[in-house]
């Protein structure tokens, strides 16, 4: 079992580029596979999650060639996928399973999707139920868990759906199913969520409108191949934003980071805490805003995290909790119950790890209260959750003793090469078994 041993560090510095955005990488393969024509993708995330998505489409007959972060997809067209002879392995990825369930629900063949232990315990009813309302035939394990068996559909009915949770995965799943439905698909979200699917569908020639959190997509759309340049993942960059903020004397520049406004909650929250972050050379790359981000250390203060920023920073809370533990004063997070159904229960797993390091926390059903102060050392369990493993690696910069982090292999799902890049930037991290 891979572990990280992290010794107290001093500062982080340099200019680095973190790997490609996971959400955009998954979507680029999905849309390219059902488009007509050849799509070229650059900056693709070579992590286990997105590589599984490539494999799944290859199993369904799509010609995909990859050389490092460059991928060439020969689209099969909307109705050109074929049945896979074996199960589709989604590994650790909720995004892949939920988005692909929407796509598979509209196919004229059966499919079966499986995942690892974490993914097999995550809630899938949030996508199964609206898809069933569209006429999809899906069987699951009790409680709507994977493996998921999808039966060939004779055609889906378009629906209007008010999402009970603010989830880009649910929205994207329904838009993908909507490509195979008989009328206009309408999805309303209770709070803004990442809009990469809408942006990318438009780039592939689809008509999708989005007004006041209501997304509409007419029936009968075709997708045309498109070249995609995947920006660096703000969720991976976030580890270095917090690292540079908490380690005095730090000055780091993160290159070519995606700064889509539905993803920048982490920047807003850190700024509210007093962080010194500067967005440089803001530009548009293929319909997605991108910038270089310079971060210099600054004293952080605890805050009440504004609830409207929760969905916009949903993946960054593990490392934001580390910022809170290193800040002066109390940080309170509420209305974040979604964190309990991510790759792990991120509220409990982070609270347990912080407690091991001597940080005072109070766990609530929908959030956490963290008292900033001194951090000791100790052994923490990442519960196989990539973002928890990386968050505690960052914590070592301010810890008084060594932090050992257990069960870190899944860092490769989203951030291959994390330990090397972190080491290069100034985090003292050693990989062990
Ligand atoms: C994602 C959406 C988010 C996020 C996940 C990626 C996506 O999940 O946590 O890591 O690519 O659509 P929810 O939409 O369920 O909040």
């Amino acid at each position: 079992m891979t572990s990280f041993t992290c010794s107290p560090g001093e500062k982080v510095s340099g200019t680095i580029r973190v790997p490609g955005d996971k959400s955009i990488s998954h979507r680029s393969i999905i849309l390219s596979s059902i488009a007509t024509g050849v799509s070229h993708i650059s900056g693709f995330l070579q992590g286990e999650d997105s590589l599984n998505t490539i494999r799944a489409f290859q199993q369904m007959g799509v010609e995909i060639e990859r050389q490092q972060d460059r991928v060439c997809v020969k689209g099969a067209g909307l109705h050109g996928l074929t049945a896979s002879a074996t199960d589709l392995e989604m590994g650790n990825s909720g995004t892949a399973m939920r988005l692909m369930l929407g796509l598979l629900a509209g196919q004229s063949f059966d499919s079966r999707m499986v995942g690892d232990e974490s993914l097999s315990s995550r809630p899938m009813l949030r996508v199964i139920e609206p898809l069933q309302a569209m006429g999809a035939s899906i069987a699951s394990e009790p409680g709507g868990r994977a493996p998921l068996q999808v039966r060939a559909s004779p055609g889906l009915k378009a629906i209007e759906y008010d999402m009970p949770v603010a989830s880009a995965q649910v929205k994207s799943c329904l838009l993908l199913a909507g490509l195979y439905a008989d009328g206009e698909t309408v999805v309303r979200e209770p709070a803004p969520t990442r809009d990469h699917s809408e942006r990318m569908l438009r780039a592939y020639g689809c008509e999708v409108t989005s007004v006041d959190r209501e997304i509409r997509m007419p029936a009968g759309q075709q997708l045309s191949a498109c070249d995609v340049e995947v920006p660096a993942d703000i969720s991976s960059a976030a580890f270095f934003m917090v690292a540079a903020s908490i380690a005095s004397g730090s000055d780091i520049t993160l290159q070519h980071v995606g700064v889509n406004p539905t993803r920048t909650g982490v920047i807003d929250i850190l700024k509210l805490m007093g962080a010194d972050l500067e967005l440089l050379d803001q530009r548009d790359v293929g319909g997605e805003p991108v910038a270089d981000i310079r971060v210099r250390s600054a004293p952080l203060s605890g805050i009440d995290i504004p609830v409207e920023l929760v969905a916009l920073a949903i993946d960054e809370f593990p490392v934001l909790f580390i910022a809170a533990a290193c800040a002066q004063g109390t940080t309170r997070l509420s209305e974040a119950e979604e964190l309990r159904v991510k790759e792990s229960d991120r509220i409990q797993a982070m609270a347990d790890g912080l407690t091991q390091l001597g940080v005072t926390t109070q766990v609530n059903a929908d959030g956490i209260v963290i008292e900033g102060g001194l951090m000791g050392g100790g052994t923490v369990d990442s519960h196989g959750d990539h973002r928890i493993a990386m968050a505690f690696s960052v914590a070592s910069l301010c810890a008084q003793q060594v932090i050992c982090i257990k069960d870190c292999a899944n860092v490769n799902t989203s951030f291959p090469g994390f330990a090397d890049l972190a080491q290069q930037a100034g985090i003292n991290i050693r990989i062990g078994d």
Side-chain angles (χ1 to χ4, degrees):
M1 194 186 272
T2 306
S3 61
F4 289 166
T5 304
C6 304
S7 314
E10 285 171 12
K11 59 176 185 175
V12 292
S13 58
T15 297
I16 60 172
R17 180 166 171 161
V18 301
D21 188 279
K22 187 149 72 80
S23 294
I24 297 177
S25 293
H26 282 303
R27 287 161 171 80
S28 69
I29 298 299
I30 297 174
L31 295 195
S32 298
S33 294
I34 55 169
T36 43
V38 179
S39 298
H40 299 273
I41 303 159
S42 59
F44 184 77
L45 171 65
Q46 301 170 72
E48 282 166 15
D49 278 5
S50 38
L51 295 177
N52 276 331
T53 297
I54 290 188
R55 252 173 249 124
F57 281 97
Q58 287 171 328
Q59 282 173 242
M60 292 189 285
V62 183
E63 272 181 51
I64 306 178
E65 275 171 29
R66 182 179 68 85
Q67 282 185 323
Q68 275 99 39
D69 70 342
R70 296 189 166 268
V71 187
C72 174
V73 183
K74 204 165 161 200
L78 208 52
H79 299 283
L81 301 177
T82 53
S84 167
T86 51
D87 289 348
L88 302 171
E89 175 58 73
M90 299 291 107
N92 191 243
S93 177
T95 306
M97 186 169 271
R98 296 196 179 112
L99 267 60
M100 291 201 34
L101 191 66
L103 184 76
L104 296 174
Q107 305 303 314
S108 55
F109 53 82
D110 297 353
S111 314
R112 188 168 184 270
M113 278 193 290
V114 297
D116 69 6
E117 196 186 329
S118 153
L119 185 55
S120 305
S121 70
R122 294 181 65 186
M124 293 296 149
L125 284 179
R126 56 180 61 193
V127 278
I128 294 174
E129 285 174 351
L131 288 173
Q132 284 173 337
M134 294 177 79
S137 166
I138 300 163
S140 67
E141 294 299 305
R145 313 283 157 180
L148 303 178
Q149 174 81 47
V150 192
R151 297 252 178 256
S153 156
L156 298 178
K157 288 195 302 284
I159 54 166
E160 286 202 15
Y161 190 64
D162 286 293
M163 293 198 297
V165 281
S167 167
Q169 294 181 353
V170 175
K171 170 177 65 176
S172 305
C173 163
L174 298 180
L175 290 174
L176 289 167
L179 291 171
Y180 298 89
D182 63 357
E184 186 182 41
T185 298
V186 183
V187 184
R188 294 185 200 95
E189 42 187 12
T193 67
R194 63 191 69 191
D195 65 355
H196 303 301
S197 297
E198 297 91 302
R199 286 173 187 255
M200 203 182 280
L201 279 164
R202 284 185 204 114
Y204 281 72
C206 253
E207 188 188 330
V208 182
T209 58
S210 183
V211 180
D212 291 338
R213 304 204 304 272
E214 181 179 89
I215 298 94
R216 289 181 172 267
M217 190 185 69
Q221 311 246 14
Q222 295 290 330
L223 277 64
S224 310
C226 181
D227 289 348
V228 180
E229 188 183 330
V230 182
D233 198 328
I234 190 169
S235 299
S236 298
F239 297 105
F240 294 97
M241 292 181 205
V242 172
S245 298
I246 63 174
S248 60
S250 296
D251 183 352
I252 200 163
T253 300
L254 302 158
Q255 292 178 306
H256 209 74
V257 180
V259 287
N260 178 316
T262 59
R263 295 285 298 280
T264 46
V266 60
I267 294 177
D268 299 334
I269 292 169
L270 283 173
K271 280 190 172 166
L272 288 172
M273 295 177 82
D276 179 357
L277 292 129
E278 227 183 321
L279 267 61
L280 307 168
D281 191 15
Q282 294 194 49
R283 52 212 184 259
D284 187 274
V285 176
E288 287 281 352
V290 167
D292 298 333
I293 303 179
R294 183 173 181 190
V295 192
R296 281 171 278 192
S297 51
L300 301 183
S301 307
I303 57 164
D304 288 355
I305 296 175
V307 290
E308 64 275 15
L309 292 179
V310 170
L312 309 182
I314 196 68
D315 290 340
E316 289 70 69
F317 283 110
V319 79
L320 283 169
F321 292 174
I322 300 300
C326 298
Q328 197 173 19
T330 307
T331 296
R332 293 182 195 81
L333 172 68
S334 55
E335 298 191 30
E337 47 279 275
E338 273 297 294
L339 291 179
R340 292 200 178 270
V341 291
K342 294 294 178 187
E343 285 82 330
S344 69
D345 174 346
R346 287 184 172 159
I347 293 176
Q348 196 60 52
M350 284 303 298
D352 290 347
L354 287 169
T355 303
Q356 288 299 317
L357 304 180
V359 177
T360 304
T361 64
Q362 184 198 308
V363 168
N364 297 324
D366 68 340
I368 191 168
V369 181
I370 298 172
E371 302 296 342
L374 289 180
M375 201 187 284
T379 299
V380 299
D381 191 342
S382 81
H383 297 275
D385 184 327
H386 53 136
R387 298 203 198 280
I388 293 196
M390 291 186 274
F392 281 113
S393 311
V394 169
S396 67
L397 285 164
C398 281
Q400 289 165 323
Q401 286 109 35
V402 170
I403 301 179
C404 287
I405 310 158
K406 295 199 300 194
D407 203 0
C408 298
N410 278 341
V411 165
N412 286 331
T413 60
S414 68
F415 200 148
F418 168 74
D420 286 347
L421 199 59
Q423 180 81 44
Q424 183 191 317
I427 300 176
N428 296 322
I429 179 167
R430 196 165 44 78
I431 304 180
D433 286 324

